[in-house]
Amino acid sequence: MTNISRTLALDHLPVELLYDIYALALSPTLPVTCKYFHAVFKAAPATLHAQYLIRCYEESAEQSTSARLFGLISKVLRYPICTRAVLEAILRSPECPRIPPPDDPERRPTMLPRHLFRNLTPRDSPGKRPWTEYDEPLPFLKFLYDDPRIPYPATNSYDGYALTRAVYAGFTPLVRFLLEHDASPACKGNLAVTVAIRRKSLPLVRMLVERDRIGAAGESMWRSSKKRRRSVADERDSDGSGRASNSESHGAKRRKLGDRVSVTPDMLRAAVKCGARDIAEYLMREKGCVPDMQTVLMMGR
């Protein structure tokens, strides 16, 4: 009797049959039932995960209007198995649900899930490799922003969570990328700036506060984005001329842009409290921030 039950156990089934069960059952706990299942589904092809995610979306869309409004891409990105290879398999699949075109009023922006940034941690310790533009999730984000099939991502999803985590980790290339794509340090009461102050990183504080701190590299990346180029072309065509403005065509001097956020006494107090004197001087001398009485007393100690 024991031999029969052991033979009929799920972990004795062929891998191909396990794949079919996975795609039909839509159970999120099946791959983590045991170590064997975890290894089997971790090595599964991207097309299988794509089929699973499409069916998960269709099931939730049938039951909930909010799921339909959320959109396919935003839904599948919430699953950690949705890598670039899986997302490309979804977009190629004949089962892929319709994604509204750019001019469709039903097209919603893509929400950036928290799990892409949750594990970002500082690399300030000696011997640790610094962050580079090749570290995830930056390559994946570039794909999301550049692929015309994907609705343009909402960079400030979840109250600017992506920017705050990038600043916390000291991931400068990611911070620069997010700022170039309209991330706002003002989200959640200027939390990203406060985190940069607590890191005692004056370069990060400057980058968050001043728009011109992105520099020429940021401008070139902005122009290299396909979606950005399309939006610029639309603006040029709106007057029927199809030509760039005089400032662009003749290389006029760049106009100094205003700051992304206004510095506040709270920022100055945070800088003084954590002993970041260079940041405190920057806020007072260059940005004209006036300390309140509490901050003055702290500075006098």
Side-chain angles (χ1 to χ4, degrees):
M1 196 69 179
T2 306
N3 292 336
I4 294 175
S5 61
R6 189 175 297 170
T7 303
L8 296 177
L10 277 175
D11 56 357
H12 283 71
L13 294 175
V15 171
E16 294 77 9
L17 189 54
L18 288 176
Y19 287 170
D20 290 339
I21 294 173
Y22 171 71
L24 293 173
L26 303 181
S27 171
T29 58
L30 180 61
V32 294
T33 304
C34 63
K35 291 183 178 179
Y36 172 71
F37 282 177
H38 182 267
V40 167
F41 294 113
K42 186 177 181 180
T47 51
L48 176 68
H49 293 309
Q51 185 182 32
Y52 170 82
L53 292 177
I54 289 173
R55 292 181 178 179
C56 284
Y57 168 75
E58 290 177 338
E59 183 181 59
S60 61
E62 289 178 0
Q63 301 174 358
S64 170
T65 304
S66 60
R68 289 195 300 272
L69 294 175
F70 201 54
L72 170 69
I73 304 300
S74 295
K75 172 67 175 179
V76 300
L77 283 177
R78 298 176 69 177
Y79 293 79
I81 61 172
C82 187
T83 61
R84 174 172 178 171
V86 173
L87 187 53
E88 288 180 330
I90 290 174
L91 296 172
R92 291 193 309 265
S93 173
E95 299 181 14
C96 180
R98 175 183 174 272
I99 299 176
D103 56 349
D104 194 321
E106 294 184 0
R107 186 178 175 99
R108 300 296 182 92
T110 297
M111 300 294 289
L112 297 178
R114 293 186 181 95
H115 72 82
L116 290 178
F117 314 97
R118 187 175 292 130
N119 295 326
L120 297 179
T121 54
R123 293 183 176 180
D124 301 331
S125 303
K128 280 196 172 184
R129 183 179 61 85
W131 292 104
T132 69
E133 60 179 332
Y134 303 105
D135 290 318
E136 292 292 350
L138 189 47
F140 187 42
L141 289 176
K142 290 179 179 179
F143 166 70
L144 294 178
Y145 278 87
D146 288 342
D147 195 303
R149 298 168 295 179
I150 299 174
Y152 199 74
T155 311
N156 295 311
S157 303
Y158 304 106
D159 292 326
Y161 183 81
L163 182 62
T164 302
R165 291 298 303 186
V167 171
Y168 167 74
F171 196 161
T172 303
L174 179 56
V175 173
R176 185 178 294 112
F177 176 86
L178 293 171
L179 291 174
E180 289 161 1
H181 291 84
D182 305 325
S184 174
C187 289
K188 216 167 184 178
N190 304 316
L191 180 59
V193 181
T194 304
V195 172
I197 292 172
R198 291 176 180 171
R199 282 184 54 85
K200 299 182 180 181
S201 175
L202 179 58
L204 274 179
V205 173
R206 284 181 176 270
M207 186 183 298
L208 293 171
V209 172
E210 301 175 14
R211 292 185 187 275
D212 288 349
R213 285 288 158 184
I214 294 297
E219 185 178 352
S220 64
M221 283 187 65
W222 186 89
R223 295 185 183 278
S224 67
S225 170
K226 296 179 181 177
K227 294 182 180 179
R228 291 291 191 179
R229 287 205 300 269
R230 286 201 301 272
S231 63
V232 170
D234 292 341
E235 292 176 1
R236 290 177 178 175
D237 291 341
S238 62
D239 61 354
S241 63
R243 296 190 302 272
S245 62
N246 291 333
S247 61
E248 284 187 344
S249 58
H250 297 292
K253 185 177 179 181
R254 286 178 59 202
R255 178 176 59 180
K256 182 175 176 62
L257 302 175
D259 291 342
R260 291 189 183 86
V261 293
S262 299
V263 299
T264 64
D266 291 338
M267 296 179 187
L268 180 56
R269 188 186 310 118
V272 173
K273 188 174 182 179
C274 67
R277 297 189 61 179
D278 55 344
I279 297 177
E281 291 180 1
Y282 162 74
L283 295 176
M284 289 188 295
R285 295 184 179 180
E286 294 192 31
K287 294 301 169 184
C289 183
V290 178
D292 54 22
M293 185 56 64
Q294 183 181 356
T295 305
V296 171
L297 293 175
M298 292 171 61
M299 295 170 66
R301 293 175 185 173

